[in-house]
Amino acid sequence: MSELVTKVVVVALILLVIAAAVVPRIRGRRSMAQRVKAMAAVAESQGWTFTAERPDLVPLVQQLPRSLGTAGDMITSKVMRMEPTRLAVGSRILNVLGGVAEGRRVEIFDWLVGHGSGTGRAQLTYLHTVWAVPLPHVPFWVQVANKWQSHDEWRPGKLFRTGDAAFDKRFLTTAEDASHVGAGLTQQTRRLLLESSFDGWRLDPDLGVLLVWTHSQRRYAPADQIVAMTHQVVRLAAEADAQTASG
């Protein structure tokens, strides 16, 4: 009897291990399929285009905070007392919506950032949804991002405080000159960002765009909120336009 119990326990453990490996993959694929369907429906409802994947848009996000520019191989780090190893970073631009909102051209897409050590011991994935709005004139670079995002690999700049206590408590501001902070982060811009669920905002003169993004390890921006969030982004773009037109 004891031998039978042992066999049952061993088989149960094997099945648990298999389930632990397989079930998340099945759920992940199902979740991705649901996301594709939901984002395609948003595009159809707004008269926008939908493209499942756009590798050519990766340059838009290459200089954004990567969420996890470094991550530790926990086994190696703990046992060998080594510094965390730098992991490879892979970006995929998925579920791209393109169209016009309130007279402005907007591209919205999901950004999947994967990090792997090559050993299989440290594989981390972060999910973002990004809005890109071309602007006619972007004279300077300035960025804000939630403090809990990793800040390595940002474009070189200095950290500034805006003087807005609530804003500075939630966001870090990076720019090349203090005057850019005041010109870009107007009271209206700060208010709009504080009232939103966005985690980052950037004026990028190299790309000629306003970039706004969300940041999460678990999910993209909810599909049923994309349209409302897009209108928020358009208001942010209008404010940026008004302040940078003569910059």
Side-chain angles (χ1 to χ4, degrees):
M1 181 65 70
S2 61
E3 183 177 349
L4 177 60
V5 171
T6 301
K7 289 181 178 179
V8 170
V9 170
V10 170
V11 170
L13 288 173
I14 291 173
L15 291 174
L16 283 173
V17 170
I18 293 173
V22 173
V23 170
R25 292 188 180 184
I26 294 174
R27 287 179 177 172
R29 288 173 184 169
R30 185 178 300 165
S31 177
M32 290 289 281
Q34 291 172 343
R35 179 66 174 179
V36 169
K37 184 177 180 179
M39 291 292 276
V42 171
E44 183 177 4
S45 72
Q46 299 301 306
W48 296 341
T49 61
F50 172 82
T51 308
E53 185 162 6
R54 288 274 305 275
D56 60 297
L57 293 182
V58 169
L60 281 177
V61 301
Q62 282 181 330
Q63 291 185 342
L64 291 182
R66 286 180 169 176
S67 311
L68 290 171
T70 59
D73 180 325
M74 297 307 294
I75 295 176
T76 302
S77 299
K78 295 294 184 182
V79 174
M80 304 300 293
R81 298 184 182 278
M82 296 169 59
E83 290 296 317
T85 54
R86 177 162 291 279
L87 308 183
V89 177
S91 289
R92 293 184 67 188
I93 305 299
L94 306 172
N95 307 320
V96 183
L97 311 183
V100 176
E102 299 180 36
R104 289 186 181 272
R105 183 74 188 173
V106 180
E107 283 189 311
I108 308 154
F109 53 86
D110 292 333
W111 176 29
L112 184 152
V113 189
H115 302 253
S117 65
T119 66
R121 287 195 291 256
Q123 294 182 347
L124 302 164
T125 301
Y126 270 57
L127 309 177
H128 307 67
T129 301
V130 181
W131 283 255
V133 185
L135 297 178
H137 185 62
V138 185
F140 51 76
W141 179 90
V142 61
Q143 173 177 280
V144 299
N146 260 338
K147 289 185 175 182
W148 49 269
Q149 292 185 59
S150 173
H151 296 129
D152 74 318
E153 299 202 16
W154 286 21
R155 172 173 168 164
K158 300 176 183 178
L159 289 176
F160 291 94
R161 296 184 67 82
T162 66
D164 182 329
F167 190 85
D168 292 336
K169 181 178 180 180
R170 177 174 164 185
F171 294 106
L172 281 180
T173 300
T174 313
E176 295 170 342
D177 188 272
S179 64
H180 300 165
V181 176
L185 290 172
T186 64
Q187 182 178 0
Q188 173 73 347
T189 295
R190 297 195 307 272
R191 182 184 67 80
L192 288 170
L193 287 170
L194 284 173
E195 291 176 352
S196 76
S197 56
F198 296 121
D199 299 302
W201 170 100
R202 170 186 280 187
L203 286 174
D204 194 320
D206 296 333
L207 299 171
V209 298
L210 169 68
L211 294 172
V212 184
W213 66 91
T214 63
H215 162 89
S216 172
Q217 190 173 2
R218 294 180 177 84
R219 66 173 186 169
Y220 299 114
D224 61 1
Q225 296 179 25
I226 291 294
V227 174
M229 294 174 80
T230 299
H231 290 306
Q232 290 179 311
V233 170
V234 168
R235 289 195 289 273
L236 286 165
E239 182 68 11
D241 251 356
Q243 296 304 312
T244 60
S246 59

